[in-house]
Amino acid sequence: MKIPTFSTPVARRPSRSSGYVLVVVMIMTALTLLILSSTLSRTATTSRLNDRSERYHGSLSAAEAATEKVLARMIADYRAGGDSQVAANLASYRTNIPSASDSTYWTNFIFSDAIGNSGRTYIQVLSNSTFTTLDSQYSGLKAYSTSYRLVANARKAEDASAGNAVMQDLQLATIPVFQFAIFYNGLMEFTWAAPFTVKGRTHANGSIYTGSSKSLSFDSVVTATSTIQKRDWAGYTLANMTGSIGYSAGNSTNVPTLTLPIGTNNTADAVREIINMPPAGEDPNSAMGRQRYFNKSGIQILVSNDTVTAVIRSNSIPISLGWTLGNLSAFLNTNVSYFDQREGKTIKATEFDVGKFKAWMETNINATIQPLALSKLSVYVADNRTVSGSELTAVRLVNGQVLPTNGMTFATPNPLYVKGHYNVTNSAHLGTTNTTSSAPASLASDALTILSSNWNDTNSSASLGSRGAADTTLNAAVVTGVVYSTGVNGSSFSGGVMNLPRMLEDWGNGSRVLTLNTSIVCLFNSARATAQWKTPGTYYYAPSRAFTFDNNFLDPTKLPPGSPQLNTLIRGRWYNPPVGVTNYAGL
């Protein structure tokens, strides 16, 4: 019998490798937990940072929105009614914060004015109106400027501790329009100009077309709310426009529009109302009422089919003068007629003798009249007579070399004709840029035609050769209308800036000189004298044009009475100050 054998198991020593695996697993687990913890911590931190950033930028945007909402109201009011309308609405602006009526988004924020008042924006006048030099894109211009500061604080509604703030400084600038050598309330055309140099600031609320076969130079800043360019226009092509264009002080496009505070839009039709008589019932203190030449005049003369009436304003109280009682016939003649070969019509004119008017004021013992001789005077004359389709009513100034001592603005809703030298007291200054002896003067009308001292009414309908001009000097700012070009493919051109002052004589193709020390302002299209410009040789031959900006207009004491004013808002400093601060000066 075979006896089974048994083997005794041998005990094995634990493997070192299995211990290492355990240790590695434990280490990896610990590292994973550490990384997870760090990731979770970093995610939480990032979330907090993102939340903080969102609250910061959200409240910053809300604060800026509060100031921008006020700015939008101020801009609209300033353009419509000027400084006075803004000042009258300050209390309303302070409560004009973003609200649910704008968007439900704004219900997420609490607004305050930085001095402890909820639901308000801080507004402070930094300086009252002063005549000062402007900054920004209007650098070099002088204006009556009022400075304001806006500050808004904002925070998320659910966050009582965090918030943000925006501070904006701004200028409300009222710019006398005669600060510009040339100002157009729309398209400005130099297309196909004679050689021309613009001596002074130039601006258009629109485009400026510069193309010509002759040189065109600007010796001061040129700005336009649209483009400045050469282009095919009114029958002229780029291929013909070989003349050089020079900008000594640079040019800028897409600048803000400069508007009149007339309480409505600034279209040509709207702005033309400033030379028209007011409609019945219009408040003279309304935005438009304050800008009308009629309401700004010291003497108003109205010519109708049967009568001539005059009203003199003394301390704003109108006093009527009869044709005989006031001796108006001493300087006014309503029995004048001549032919305008551009309009193709007989002009039925009211003629105003400036020299006789000056003498009448200075010698008339009437206590109402005499003070006018000592002031800057504005005269308004309207010829409202009924005429046939072949006639046109107008006003003509004669004998105007010496104006009333302290100056005169002359305005009419009619076409205006000026015969002979105007506002050149010292004859030695004729044909020069010397205006030291000239009085503050401006002319406002539907259209302006300059007649030399050689003009003779009896030759007005004769051939061009019988209407030879003489050298003429006119020292006055001009506000008038234009008959615009008909367009890209049209053959009718406005004549450009050079022909805004119309002519009807043979100026010898440059052998005679027309000297204008002026500011040329075109605010509207002509509504009464509407015939299109025609090339020289039809009804006139061009003069040598010596057009120069009169630097007297940079001095507010030498501005003509009733000068139109342009309004614009200029942004100044923008800061992100600490919450609750209204006088932050930056870092």
Side-chain angles (χ1 to χ4, degrees):
M1 175 177 180
K2 189 177 179 178
I3 298 174
T5 59
F6 298 92
S7 61
T8 303
V10 179
R12 295 184 178 181
R13 297 180 59 185
S15 170
R16 290 186 179 182
S17 62
S18 61
Y20 291 154
V21 169
L22 178 61
V23 171
V24 168
V25 169
M26 293 177 64
I27 291 174
M28 291 300 295
T29 301
L31 288 174
T32 300
L33 291 173
L34 180 61
I35 291 171
L36 178 61
S37 175
S38 298
T39 299
L40 292 173
S41 176
R42 185 171 65 254
T43 300
T45 300
T46 300
S47 178
R48 288 194 300 272
L49 290 174
N50 287 341
D51 179 64
R52 183 179 300 176
S53 176
E54 189 277 332
R55 284 186 287 119
Y56 175 87
H57 290 289
S59 59
L60 178 65
S61 297
E64 184 172 28
T67 61
E68 289 296 326
K69 185 173 182 178
V70 172
L71 274 170
R73 275 282 311 277
M74 293 179 76
I75 291 171
D77 288 348
Y78 189 55
R79 288 179 174 174
D83 259 326
S84 59
Q85 189 160 322
V86 171
N89 288 330
L90 287 180
S92 173
Y93 300 153
R94 292 186 174 105
T95 60
N96 192 37
I97 61 172
S99 63
S101 61
D102 301 316
S103 169
T104 56
Y105 173 75
W106 299 120
T107 60
N108 297 315
F109 296 93
I110 302 295
F111 296 93
S112 64
D113 64 1
I115 56 174
N117 299 306
S118 296
R120 296 169 69 87
T121 299
Y122 177 88
I123 305 176
Q124 180 64 40
V125 179
L126 296 181
S127 67
N128 291 315
S129 183
T130 57
F131 197 73
T132 184
T133 301
L134 298 179
D135 299 323
S136 73
Q137 65 266 42
Y138 302 111
S139 177
L141 282 175
K142 294 182 178 179
Y144 297 95
S145 174
T146 304
S147 298
Y148 287 86
R149 172 166 294 168
L150 309 180
V151 182
N153 289 184
R155 64 174 176 83
K156 279 293 192 72
E158 70 275 11
D159 190 344
S161 60
N164 220 319
V166 166
M167 183 180 80
Q168 293 199 52
D169 289 349
L170 59 132
Q171 285 180 302
L172 298 184
T174 300
I175 305 169
V177 70
F178 299 144
Q179 292 267 306
F180 292 91
I182 305 173
F183 181 94
Y184 268 53
N185 185 38
L187 173 64
M188 183 186 298
E189 300 172 283
F190 290 96
T191 306
W192 216 246
F196 198 62
T197 298
V198 181
K199 299 179 180 179
R201 186 108 184 191
T202 302
H203 176 84
N205 285 337
S207 292
I208 300 177
Y209 293 167
T210 57
S212 176
S213 64
K214 306 296 183 182
S215 62
L216 174 62
S217 300
F218 298 91
D219 73 355
S220 190
V221 177
V222 182
T223 52
T225 63
S226 187
T227 62
I228 301 174
Q229 62 173 316
K230 291 183 178 183
R231 63 167 299 184
D232 292 349
W233 186 248
Y236 301 100
T237 64
L238 285 173
N240 306 127
M241 298 176 185
T242 57
S244 62
I245 310 295
Y247 301 96
S248 298
N251 64 86
S252 299
T253 58
N254 299 310
V255 303
T257 300
L258 297 172
T259 59
L260 272 72
I262 57 176
T264 182
N265 61 67
N266 265 246
T267 62
D269 287 343
V271 175
R272 191 191 303 114
E273 282 299 310
I274 69 172
I275 64 169
N276 290 339
M277 294 178 61
E282 181 183 78
D283 182 359
N285 292 313
S286 66
M288 178 61 81
R290 290 194 300 270
Q291 300 305 315
R292 289 190 189 272
Y293 277 98
F294 180 90
N295 293 329
K296 293 189 286 187
S297 60
I299 181 169
Q300 301 155 354
I301 299 174
L302 308 179
V303 180
S304 68
N305 291 337
D306 303 313
T307 62
V308 177
T309 60
V311 171
I312 290 180
R313 293 183 176 273
S314 179
N315 298 321
S316 298
I317 300 172
I319 300 174
S320 297
L321 293 176
W323 174 257
T324 303
L325 175 63
N327 294 317
L328 300 181
S329 57
F331 59 85
L332 206 68
N333 182 2
T334 59
N335 191 28
V336 175
S337 178
Y338 50 92
F339 194 74
D340 183 319
Q341 294 206 24
R342 170 170 171 168
E343 291 298 315
K345 293 182 178 181
T346 297
I347 304 302
K348 193 173 182 179
T350 293
E351 187 168 271
F352 187 101
D353 189 308
V354 178
K356 291 180 179 179
F357 172 69
K358 179 177 183 293
W360 174 78
M361 284 199 306
E362 293 173 348
T363 58
N364 198 306
I365 62 173
N366 188 303
T368 301
I369 297 171
Q370 277 195 318
L372 293 177
L374 304 176
S375 66
K376 285 186 176 181
L377 180 62
S378 182
V379 178
Y380 185 93
V381 178
D383 190 326
N384 297 319
R385 288 178 288 183
T386 303
V387 294
S388 69
S390 62
E391 296 176 311
L392 181 65
T393 55
V395 176
R396 184 164 73 179
L397 294 177
V398 298
N399 191 22
Q401 187 166 342
V402 180
L403 300 189
T405 304
N406 292 303
M408 182 175 74
T409 287
F410 192 93
T412 177
N414 300 90
L416 178 65
Y417 297 75
V418 179
K419 179 182 175 181
H421 302 303
Y422 193 83
N423 192 25
V424 195
T425 303
N426 187 339
S427 294
H429 298 161
L430 290 169
T432 75
T433 59
N434 190 332
T435 58
T436 55
S437 65
S438 298
S442 65
L443 304 168
S445 62
D446 176 75
L448 174 66
T449 301
I450 297 175
L451 306 173
S452 78
S453 57
N454 274 3
W455 175 267
N456 189 325
D457 290 346
T458 59
N459 294 333
S460 60
S461 59
S463 65
L464 178 54
S466 65
R467 300 196 307 276
D471 293 347
T472 300
T473 300
L474 185 148
N475 295 336
V478 170
V479 175
T480 196
V482 66
V483 180
Y484 279 107
S485 302
T486 55
V488 176
N489 298 316
S491 58
S492 295
F493 178 44
S494 72
V497 174
M498 300 69 57
N499 288 294
L500 189 68
R502 301 179 178 196
M503 286 152 278
L504 295 173
E505 296 170 274
D506 180 0
W507 292 78
N509 280 327
S511 63
R512 295 297 183 185
V513 181
L514 175 58
T515 301
L516 295 185
N517 296 302
T518 186
S519 168
I520 296 175
V521 177
C522 179
L523 297 179
F524 41 80
N525 57 298
S526 300
R528 301 197 185 197
T530 57
Q532 195 79 40
W533 173 84
K534 296 180 178 63
T535 56
T538 307
Y539 56 82
Y540 85 109
Y541 277 114
S544 175
R545 296 177 177 88
F547 293 3
T548 303
F549 175 65
D550 187 348
N551 285 302
N552 281 332
F553 299 141
L554 298 177
D555 182 345
T557 66
K558 295 181 180 179
L559 285 169
S563 297
Q565 312 267 330
L566 303 165
N567 286 352
T568 191
L569 185 146
I570 301 173
R571 294 174 181 265
R573 301 187 307 167
W574 188 103
Y575 283 136
N576 175 208
V579 171
V581 173
T582 61
N583 60 348
Y584 186 64
L587 298 176

